[in-house]
Amino acid sequence: MLKQTLAIMHREIFYMWRDKGLRYILLIIPLLTLALFYATYHLQVMKNIPTAIVDLDQSAASRQIVSMLEEVDNLQVVAYPESYPQLQQLIERGDAVVGVVIPENLAAHTALRRQGQVYAVVDGSNLVYATNAVSDLLRTTRTMGAELGVKSLVAQGVHIDEASNVFLGADFREEAWFNPTLNYAHFLLLALALNIWQQCCMLASCMNIIGETGRKSWYQIKMSGISKTRLFTAKSITHITVFMLMVAPIYFISFGVLKLPLAGGILPLLLLTFFFIVAVHSVGTLMSGLARNAVDASRLGMATALPSFVVSGYTWPLEAMHPFLQTAVKIVPQTWFFQGLNYLTFKDPGWEFMLPFFGALALIAVICYGAAAIVTGGPVRRLLG
């Protein structure tokens, strides 16, 4: 029995390796995408956001504001247009993402102890740029406003301590936990690479049944009397083993070379990955049983794998989705995996917290493997005689 199972596994590895396209997909594509995403997010944080400043006041106060904006770390002043229409043209062309307009009467308002208004505009067509720019502007303008107000009161004879109490009565400080530098590479790099990896695994899993019954060699297997349970169990073990070996270099490069965070430890992550890949393989196996041919199986697999990352709640909160979708995505293995990945990389939630994630993936696997056995039982039985 063991000898026959090992022979089936050896045969499956041979078929997977002989298929040049599948070999490249499984071995090369995940690592290439990891390198691609690293090159994309190598700066880790958004820097040098193009900024234009319109100084209509041309006063000492306005020049001080310009000087402070020029020193903001993540903003890069690229233009000094003379009017608002010129600023609008710069932003429309994409030459600037942030625009700051200093009004003509800023110095006069400040001298009269009135609040001057500095207009800031952000190009919202790129949300990544816009979110970072707004954060930098808010932090800068709050500090800038307080400093200018204190200096104005001091110039009018108010003691500096009293002036500071007026403008700095409550000192608000921002602090990001678990990803203090708001590092994009830490948040997206590994998740995007694993998203490509899971798509490759789904594509291969969809060949588990139809890839066998669609071959001429299936009749030889039928005549040999090999148990269908042993056949597909050995094939599944082979697939899952290969998929786990595929992810090993991704984790090694991510945590060992690129030093991405892993607060929860490697053992829980590997266990979560194993449960996930078993669940993904079960879904692919079910689709393989439902498909009429290999092409249909591939289409079903990619139609499931491609949008699964988007609806997993990793890049967009589940709570912000439609209530129906919030419930529906719980049957998708990717939801539990990428949510668990986020907890394990940035936090250390503990085994008790992670148990529902393991349980959900195990339940999905049991249901899908069981459904695949029922769906394919009739045709397989007929083929096996």
Side-chain angles (χ1 to χ4, degrees), residues 107-114 148-159:
H109 278 280
T110 304
L112 296 173
R113 298 190 184 184
R114 295 177 182 173
L148 292 175
V150 170
K151 289 181 179 180
S152 176
L153 291 178
V154 170
Q156 297 173 40
V158 179
H159 192 273

Side-chain angles (χ1 to χ4, degrees), residues 9 12-13 16 22 26-27 197-198 200-208 231-249 251 270-285 361-362 364-366 368-369:
M9 295 174 66
E12 187 64 20
I13 293 176
M16 294 176 71
L22 182 60
L26 294 179
L27 298 181
W197 163 76
Q198 65 92 11
C200 296
C201 294
M202 177 67 79
L203 183 63
S205 300
C206 287
M207 296 296 105
N208 192 25
L231 172 67
F232 289 114
T233 298
K235 285 169 59 68
S236 298
I237 292 173
T238 304
H239 287 184
I240 293 169
T241 302
V242 171
F243 299 160
M244 288 298 294
L245 291 175
M246 284 170 54
V247 82
Y251 284 159
L270 288 176
L271 188 60
L272 179 69
T273 305
F274 174 76
F275 273 76
F276 169 64
I277 207 58
V278 170
V280 166
H281 188 268
S282 71
V283 175
T285 299
L361 292 171
I364 292 172
V366 170
C368 289
Y369 278 136

Side-chain angles (χ1 to χ4, degrees), residues 129-196:
Y129 257 139
T131 301
N132 284 268
V134 168
S135 176
D136 290 327
L137 280 175
L138 287 176
R139 183 171 57 254
T140 303
T141 53
R142 187 173 61 228
T143 303
M144 186 186 307
E147 290 182 2
L148 292 175
V150 170
K151 289 181 179 180
S152 176
L153 291 178
V154 170
Q156 297 173 40
V158 179
H159 192 273
I160 187 171
D161 292 336
E162 183 180 350
S164 298
N165 288 333
V166 171
F167 282 93
L168 304 174
D171 182 19
F172 290 92
R173 295 185 303 156
E174 299 90 358
E175 182 179 356
W177 289 5
F178 306 114
N179 189 8
T181 60
L182 301 180
N183 191 316
Y184 273 86
H186 288 179
F187 176 65
L188 283 176
L189 177 57
L190 179 60
L192 291 176
L194 291 176
N195 177 40
I196 301 299

Side-chain angles (χ1 to χ4, degrees), residues 95-116:
D95 295 329
V97 175
V98 176
V100 178
V101 181
I102 304 174
E104 299 167 336
N105 54 1
L106 177 69
H109 278 280
T110 304
L112 296 173
R113 298 190 184 184
R114 295 177 182 173
Q115 186 180 39

Side-chain angles (χ1 to χ4, degrees), residues 316-322 326:
W316 186 256
L318 290 174
E319 295 77 11
M321 298 180 187
H322 190 279
Q326 292 181 35

